[in-house]
Amino acid sequence: MLDLIYAGQAPAALQLLDTAWPAEQPGKARFLACFTRQLRSGRLWREFGLGRGLDADASFPRRPVSPRACQDDW
């Protein structure tokens, strides 16, 4: 997903997640929220506005998630 995002293909990264995540496996929304939180928290992401520059803001908008939810067992 990161390779696609940094190549300017954020919608394809979401499509990959949708394709790869097993339908019977719970936790996809939580994973996406935590992934997005981690992605947006990076210094370079913030400093250089990579969300706008890579057209990733629309595909990976801020999602409400507690930091504690993202520290559990992945």
Side-chain angles (χ1 to χ4, degrees), residues 18-41:
D18 288 338
T19 302
W21 196 280
E24 68 280 357
Q25 181 68 35
K28 180 179 164 186
R30 180 176 152 227
F31 169 81
L32 184 57
C34 292
F35 177 86
T36 299
R37 183 177 186 275
Q38 184 69 29
L39 180 69
R40 290 175 156 273
S41 70

Side-chain angles (χ1 to χ4, degrees), residues 3 12-13 18 22 28 30 40 52 58 60 62 71:
D3 285 346
D18 288 338
K28 180 179 164 186
R30 180 176 152 227
R40 290 175 156 273
R52 287 184 313 276
F60 294 92
R62 293 188 193 285
Q71 293 176 348

